[in-house]
Amino acid sequence: MAYSGFTWAPMISVTATKYQRHGYVEKRAFLPGERRSAAREMESTVKGYRELRQELADSRKMIREQEQDRRSTVEKTIQTSFYKSPVGTRTQKGSGAIFYSDTVGRTSHFSATKRI
């Protein structure tokens, strides 16, 4: 079977299939002014494009503001180290080779300096 350049895709038009063919439309960057003219054309021809573009811009602005607020409100954390465990164990010998362990709380504190 010969390859014609078309692939079968359900529920799309023949025009869309024509433009999806390899080599028909090449990807390239917009020239100066093309992006704005394309957006202006889509606003006039595509139903709901203007509202969608506005919602997308609002969402991007909200995300930018949230990230800025997050950066400004994050307080610098104080580096501390825990050099004595708050939980100790007390072991008691039972009969034979059985040992019983009980957890015992102890007073502990944080230190700003790291100790080993």
PDB file of all heavy atoms in Angstrom, residues 16-17 22 36 43-44 50 53 57 62-64 67 71 77-79 83-84 86 88 90 111 113:
ATOM      1  N   ALA A  16      -9.045  19.961   8.072  1.00  0.00           N
ATOM      2  CA  ALA A  16      -8.073  19.804   9.149  1.00  0.00           C
ATOM      3  C   ALA A  16      -7.046  18.743   8.780  1.00  0.00           C
ATOM      4  O   ALA A  16      -5.845  18.923   9.015  1.00  0.00           O
ATOM      5  CB  ALA A  16      -8.780  19.432  10.450  1.00  0.00           C
ATOM      6  N   THR A  17      -7.481  17.651   8.173  1.00  0.00           N
ATOM      7  CA  THR A  17      -6.571  16.593   7.757  1.00  0.00           C
ATOM      8  C   THR A  17      -5.598  17.118   6.714  1.00  0.00           C
ATOM      9  O   THR A  17      -4.418  16.792   6.728  1.00  0.00           O
ATOM     10  CB  THR A  17      -7.358  15.398   7.205  1.00  0.00           C
ATOM     11  OG1 THR A  17      -8.324  14.995   8.149  1.00  0.00           O
ATOM     12  CG2 THR A  17      -6.442  14.234   6.912  1.00  0.00           C
ATOM     13  N   HIS A  22       2.209  16.342   6.667  1.00  0.00           N
ATOM     14  CA  HIS A  22       3.604  16.729   6.882  1.00  0.00           C
ATOM     15  C   HIS A  22       4.089  17.621   5.749  1.00  0.00           C
ATOM     16  O   HIS A  22       3.905  17.318   4.583  1.00  0.00           O
ATOM     17  CB  HIS A  22       4.489  15.489   6.975  1.00  0.00           C
ATOM     18  CG  HIS A  22       5.942  15.810   7.105  1.00  0.00           C
ATOM     19  ND1 HIS A  22       6.465  16.354   8.253  1.00  0.00           N
ATOM     20  CD2 HIS A  22       6.972  15.688   6.243  1.00  0.00           C
ATOM     21  CE1 HIS A  22       7.750  16.533   8.087  1.00  0.00           C
ATOM     22  NE2 HIS A  22       8.087  16.136   6.880  1.00  0.00           N
ATOM     23  N   ARG A  36      -0.085  40.145  16.988  1.00  0.00           N
ATOM     24  CA  ARG A  36      -1.223  41.023  17.292  1.00  0.00           C
ATOM     25  C   ARG A  36      -2.295  40.922  16.226  1.00  0.00           C
ATOM     26  O   ARG A  36      -3.481  40.900  16.533  1.00  0.00           O
ATOM     27  CB  ARG A  36      -0.730  42.472  17.440  1.00  0.00           C
ATOM     28  CG  ARG A  36      -1.821  43.441  17.755  1.00  0.00           C
ATOM     29  CD  ARG A  36      -2.427  43.157  19.127  1.00  0.00           C
ATOM     30  NE  ARG A  36      -3.611  43.963  19.316  1.00  0.00           N
ATOM     31  CZ  ARG A  36      -4.754  43.511  19.808  1.00  0.00           C
ATOM     32  NH1 ARG A  36      -4.849  42.266  20.193  1.00  0.00           N
ATOM     33  NH2 ARG A  36      -5.786  44.306  19.937  1.00  0.00           N
ATOM     34  N   GLU A  43     -10.159  37.289  17.506  1.00  0.00           N
ATOM     35  CA  GLU A  43     -11.204  37.948  18.298  1.00  0.00           C
ATOM     36  C   GLU A  43     -12.441  38.209  17.452  1.00  0.00           C
ATOM     37  O   GLU A  43     -13.564  38.107  17.940  1.00  0.00           O
ATOM     38  CB  GLU A  43     -10.682  39.263  18.871  1.00  0.00           C
ATOM     39  CG  GLU A  43      -9.788  39.112  20.064  1.00  0.00           C
ATOM     40  CD  GLU A  43      -9.279  40.448  20.586  1.00  0.00           C
ATOM     41  OE1 GLU A  43      -9.636  41.499  20.003  1.00  0.00           O
ATOM     42  OE2 GLU A  43      -8.526  40.431  21.567  1.00  0.00           O
ATOM     43  N   SER A  44     -12.238  38.530  16.182  1.00  0.00           N
ATOM     44  CA  SER A  44     -13.391  38.849  15.333  1.00  0.00           C
ATOM     45  C   SER A  44     -14.043  37.601  14.745  1.00  0.00           C
ATOM     46  O   SER A  44     -15.232  37.612  14.440  1.00  0.00           O
ATOM     47  CB  SER A  44     -12.974  39.801  14.211  1.00  0.00           C
ATOM     48  OG  SER A  44     -12.019  39.175  13.372  1.00  0.00           O
ATOM     49  N   ARG A  50     -12.315  36.206  22.890  1.00  0.00           N
ATOM     50  CA  ARG A  50     -11.994  37.391  23.682  1.00  0.00           C
ATOM     51  C   ARG A  50     -12.157  37.100  25.173  1.00  0.00           C
ATOM     52  O   ARG A  50     -11.303  37.443  25.984  1.00  0.00           O
ATOM     53  CB  ARG A  50     -12.880  38.558  23.264  1.00  0.00           C
ATOM     54  CG  ARG A  50     -12.567  39.847  24.001  1.00  0.00           C
ATOM     55  CD  ARG A  50     -13.397  40.999  23.484  1.00  0.00           C
ATOM     56  NE  ARG A  50     -13.023  41.276  22.101  1.00  0.00           N
ATOM     57  CZ  ARG A  50     -13.837  41.780  21.183  1.00  0.00           C
ATOM     58  NH1 ARG A  50     -15.068  42.074  21.482  1.00  0.00           N
ATOM     59  NH2 ARG A  50     -13.408  42.004  19.954  1.00  0.00           N
ATOM     60  N   ARG A  53      -9.386  34.708  26.339  1.00  0.00           N
ATOM     61  CA  ARG A  53      -8.116  35.408  26.458  1.00  0.00           C
ATOM     62  C   ARG A  53      -8.081  36.269  27.717  1.00  0.00           C
ATOM     63  O   ARG A  53      -7.076  36.315  28.433  1.00  0.00           O
ATOM     64  CB  ARG A  53      -7.884  36.271  25.217  1.00  0.00           C
ATOM     65  CG  ARG A  53      -6.525  36.921  25.163  1.00  0.00           C
ATOM     66  CD  ARG A  53      -6.329  37.727  23.895  1.00  0.00           C
ATOM     67  NE  ARG A  53      -7.390  38.684  23.659  1.00  0.00           N
ATOM     68  CZ  ARG A  53      -7.458  39.899  24.230  1.00  0.00           C
ATOM     69  NH1 ARG A  53      -6.534  40.277  25.064  1.00  0.00           N
ATOM     70  NH2 ARG A  53      -8.453  40.718  23.965  1.00  0.00           N
ATOM     71  N   ALA A  57      -5.578  35.835  30.952  1.00  0.00           N
ATOM     72  CA  ALA A  57      -4.754  36.945  31.452  1.00  0.00           C
ATOM     73  C   ALA A  57      -5.020  37.186  32.934  1.00  0.00           C
ATOM     74  O   ALA A  57      -4.078  37.426  33.706  1.00  0.00           O
ATOM     75  CB  ALA A  57      -5.036  38.207  30.642  1.00  0.00           C
ATOM     76  N   MET A  62      -3.309  36.626  38.632  1.00  0.00           N
ATOM     77  CA  MET A  62      -3.589  36.142  39.984  1.00  0.00           C
ATOM     78  C   MET A  62      -2.455  35.234  40.471  1.00  0.00           C
ATOM     79  O   MET A  62      -2.015  35.354  41.616  1.00  0.00           O
ATOM     80  CB  MET A  62      -4.910  35.369  40.012  1.00  0.00           C
ATOM     81  CG  MET A  62      -5.321  34.948  41.400  1.00  0.00           C
ATOM     82  SD  MET A  62      -6.784  33.898  41.514  1.00  0.00           S
ATOM     83  CE  MET A  62      -7.760  34.332  40.127  1.00  0.00           C
ATOM     84  N   ILE A  63      -1.969  34.356  39.603  1.00  0.00           N
ATOM     85  CA  ILE A  63      -0.872  33.462  39.978  1.00  0.00           C
ATOM     86  C   ILE A  63       0.387  34.270  40.278  1.00  0.00           C
ATOM     87  O   ILE A  63       1.095  34.005  41.251  1.00  0.00           O
ATOM     88  CB  ILE A  63      -0.617  32.422  38.877  1.00  0.00           C
ATOM     89  CG1 ILE A  63      -1.766  31.417  38.840  1.00  0.00           C
ATOM     90  CG2 ILE A  63       0.708  31.695  39.088  1.00  0.00           C
ATOM     91  CD1 ILE A  63      -1.721  30.472  37.670  1.00  0.00           C
ATOM     92  N   ARG A  64       0.671  35.273  39.464  1.00  0.00           N
ATOM     93  CA  ARG A  64       1.836  36.120  39.680  1.00  0.00           C
ATOM     94  C   ARG A  64       1.737  36.846  41.026  1.00  0.00           C
ATOM     95  O   ARG A  64       2.707  36.915  41.785  1.00  0.00           O
ATOM     96  CB  ARG A  64       1.959  37.137  38.541  1.00  0.00           C
ATOM     97  CG  ARG A  64       3.300  37.809  38.459  1.00  0.00           C
ATOM     98  CD  ARG A  64       3.434  38.750  37.269  1.00  0.00           C
ATOM     99  NE  ARG A  64       2.863  38.256  36.032  1.00  0.00           N
ATOM    100  CZ  ARG A  64       1.796  38.799  35.407  1.00  0.00           C
ATOM    101  NH1 ARG A  64       1.214  39.863  35.907  1.00  0.00           N
ATOM    102  NH2 ARG A  64       1.334  38.293  34.280  1.00  0.00           N
ATOM    103  N   GLU A  67       2.275  34.332  43.928  1.00  0.00           N
ATOM    104  CA  GLU A  67       3.683  33.998  44.108  1.00  0.00           C
ATOM    105  C   GLU A  67       4.445  35.153  44.745  1.00  0.00           C
ATOM    106  O   GLU A  67       5.314  34.944  45.588  1.00  0.00           O
ATOM    107  CB  GLU A  67       4.312  33.619  42.770  1.00  0.00           C
ATOM    108  CG  GLU A  67       3.857  32.273  42.261  1.00  0.00           C
ATOM    109  CD  GLU A  67       4.420  31.942  40.904  1.00  0.00           C
ATOM    110  OE1 GLU A  67       5.104  32.808  40.294  1.00  0.00           O
ATOM    111  OE2 GLU A  67       4.188  30.826  40.432  1.00  0.00           O
ATOM    112  N   ARG A  71       6.340  34.994  48.371  1.00  0.00           N
ATOM    113  CA  ARG A  71       7.747  35.337  48.565  1.00  0.00           C
ATOM    114  C   ARG A  71       7.925  36.420  49.625  1.00  0.00           C
ATOM    115  O   ARG A  71       8.885  36.400  50.378  1.00  0.00           O
ATOM    116  CB  ARG A  71       8.360  35.804  47.251  1.00  0.00           C
ATOM    117  CG  ARG A  71       8.787  34.665  46.384  1.00  0.00           C
ATOM    118  CD  ARG A  71       9.640  35.156  45.234  1.00  0.00           C
ATOM    119  NE  ARG A  71       9.184  34.461  44.034  1.00  0.00           N
ATOM    120  CZ  ARG A  71       8.623  35.043  42.992  1.00  0.00           C
ATOM    121  NH1 ARG A  71       8.475  36.342  42.964  1.00  0.00           N
ATOM    122  NH2 ARG A  71       8.220  34.343  41.972  1.00  0.00           N
ATOM    123  N   THR A  77      13.390  31.410  58.158  1.00  0.00           N
ATOM    124  CA  THR A  77      13.332  30.421  59.231  1.00  0.00           C
ATOM    125  C   THR A  77      14.631  30.447  60.021  1.00  0.00           C
ATOM    126  O   THR A  77      15.716  30.650  59.473  1.00  0.00           O
ATOM    127  CB  THR A  77      13.107  29.015  58.663  1.00  0.00           C
ATOM    128  OG1 THR A  77      14.143  28.716  57.736  1.00  0.00           O
ATOM    129  CG2 THR A  77      11.770  28.927  57.956  1.00  0.00           C
ATOM    130  N   ILE A  78      14.508  30.237  61.300  1.00  0.00           N
ATOM    131  CA  ILE A  78      15.656  30.195  62.185  1.00  0.00           C
ATOM    132  C   ILE A  78      16.210  28.785  62.151  1.00  0.00           C
ATOM    133  O   ILE A  78      15.477  27.813  62.391  1.00  0.00           O
ATOM    134  CB  ILE A  78      15.267  30.593  63.619  1.00  0.00           C
ATOM    135  CG1 ILE A  78      14.682  32.003  63.631  1.00  0.00           C
ATOM    136  CG2 ILE A  78      16.453  30.483  64.555  1.00  0.00           C
ATOM    137  CD1 ILE A  78      14.031  32.377  64.933  1.00  0.00           C
ATOM    138  N   GLN A  79      17.488  28.675  61.867  1.00  0.00           N
ATOM    139  CA  GLN A  79      18.093  27.354  61.805  1.00  0.00           C
ATOM    140  C   GLN A  79      18.394  26.874  63.213  1.00  0.00           C
ATOM    141  O   GLN A  79      19.113  27.535  63.968  1.00  0.00           O
ATOM    142  CB  GLN A  79      19.368  27.392  60.977  1.00  0.00           C
ATOM    143  CG  GLN A  79      19.969  26.023  60.781  1.00  0.00           C
ATOM    144  CD  GLN A  79      21.190  26.073  59.888  1.00  0.00           C
ATOM    145  OE1 GLN A  79      21.616  27.137  59.466  1.00  0.00           O
ATOM    146  NE2 GLN A  79      21.743  24.929  59.612  1.00  0.00           N
ATOM    147  N   TYR A  83      19.639  18.669  69.733  1.00  0.00           N
ATOM    148  CA  TYR A  83      20.792  17.853  70.086  1.00  0.00           C
ATOM    149  C   TYR A  83      20.531  16.885  71.229  1.00  0.00           C
ATOM    150  O   TYR A  83      21.403  16.126  71.591  1.00  0.00           O
ATOM    151  CB  TYR A  83      22.020  18.721  70.357  1.00  0.00           C
ATOM    152  CG  TYR A  83      21.969  19.555  71.596  1.00  0.00           C
ATOM    153  CD1 TYR A  83      22.450  19.061  72.797  1.00  0.00           C
ATOM    154  CD2 TYR A  83      21.450  20.824  71.558  1.00  0.00           C
ATOM    155  CE1 TYR A  83      22.416  19.832  73.932  1.00  0.00           C
ATOM    156  CE2 TYR A  83      21.406  21.604  72.688  1.00  0.00           C
ATOM    157  CZ  TYR A  83      21.895  21.093  73.868  1.00  0.00           C
ATOM    158  OH  TYR A  83      21.856  21.860  74.990  1.00  0.00           O
ATOM    159  N   LYS A  84      19.332  16.901  71.755  1.00  0.00           N
ATOM    160  CA  LYS A  84      18.990  15.910  72.774  1.00  0.00           C
ATOM    161  C   LYS A  84      17.565  15.449  72.498  1.00  0.00           C
ATOM    162  O   LYS A  84      16.658  16.252  72.397  1.00  0.00           O
ATOM    163  CB  LYS A  84      19.094  16.517  74.167  1.00  0.00           C
ATOM    164  CG  LYS A  84      18.973  15.512  75.269  1.00  0.00           C
ATOM    165  CD  LYS A  84      19.296  16.153  76.608  1.00  0.00           C
ATOM    166  CE  LYS A  84      19.341  15.095  77.688  1.00  0.00           C
ATOM    167  NZ  LYS A  84      19.614  15.684  78.993  1.00  0.00           N
ATOM    168  N   PRO A  86      13.856  14.271  72.785  1.00  0.00           N
ATOM    169  CA  PRO A  86      12.848  14.525  73.810  1.00  0.00           C
ATOM    170  C   PRO A  86      12.286  13.251  74.422  1.00  0.00           C
ATOM    171  O   PRO A  86      11.602  13.290  75.428  1.00  0.00           O
ATOM    172  CB  PRO A  86      11.758  15.296  73.070  1.00  0.00           C
ATOM    173  CG  PRO A  86      11.889  14.862  71.677  1.00  0.00           C
ATOM    174  CD  PRO A  86      13.344  14.591  71.460  1.00  0.00           C
ATOM    175  N   GLY A  88      13.310   9.474  75.825  1.00  0.00           N
ATOM    176  CA  GLY A  88      14.348   8.533  76.212  1.00  0.00           C
ATOM    177  C   GLY A  88      13.730   7.174  76.482  1.00  0.00           C
ATOM    178  O   GLY A  88      12.507   7.028  76.546  1.00  0.00           O
ATOM    179  N   ARG A  90      13.915   3.643  78.991  1.00  0.00           N
ATOM    180  CA  ARG A  90      14.416   3.025  80.208  1.00  0.00           C
ATOM    181  C   ARG A  90      14.162   1.536  80.055  1.00  0.00           C
ATOM    182  O   ARG A  90      13.041   1.100  79.825  1.00  0.00           O
ATOM    183  CB  ARG A  90      13.673   3.583  81.420  1.00  0.00           C
ATOM    184  CG  ARG A  90      14.284   3.109  82.711  1.00  0.00           C
ATOM    185  CD  ARG A  90      13.927   3.975  83.878  1.00  0.00           C
ATOM    186  NE  ARG A  90      14.571   5.295  83.719  1.00  0.00           N
ATOM    187  CZ  ARG A  90      14.050   6.409  84.184  1.00  0.00           C
ATOM    188  NH1 ARG A  90      12.925   6.405  84.824  1.00  0.00           N
ATOM    189  NH2 ARG A  90      14.686   7.550  84.027  1.00  0.00           N
ATOM    190  N   SER A 111      18.820  24.319  70.195  1.00  0.00           N
ATOM    191  CA  SER A 111      20.029  25.102  70.256  1.00  0.00           C
ATOM    192  C   SER A 111      20.239  25.780  68.903  1.00  0.00           C
ATOM    193  O   SER A 111      19.990  25.192  67.857  1.00  0.00           O
ATOM    194  CB  SER A 111      21.220  24.210  70.555  1.00  0.00           C
ATOM    195  OG  SER A 111      22.423  24.926  70.422  1.00  0.00           O
ATOM    196  N   THR A 113      23.120  26.648  67.883  1.00  0.00           N
ATOM    197  CA  THR A 113      24.393  26.134  67.374  1.00  0.00           C
ATOM    198  C   THR A 113      24.263  24.644  67.197  1.00  0.00           C
ATOM    199  O   THR A 113      23.602  23.959  67.994  1.00  0.00           O
ATOM    200  CB  THR A 113      25.535  26.448  68.358  1.00  0.00           C
ATOM    201  OG1 THR A 113      25.241  25.835  69.598  1.00  0.00           O
ATOM    202  CG2 THR A 113      25.717  27.936  68.527  1.00  0.00           C
TER     203      THR A 113
END
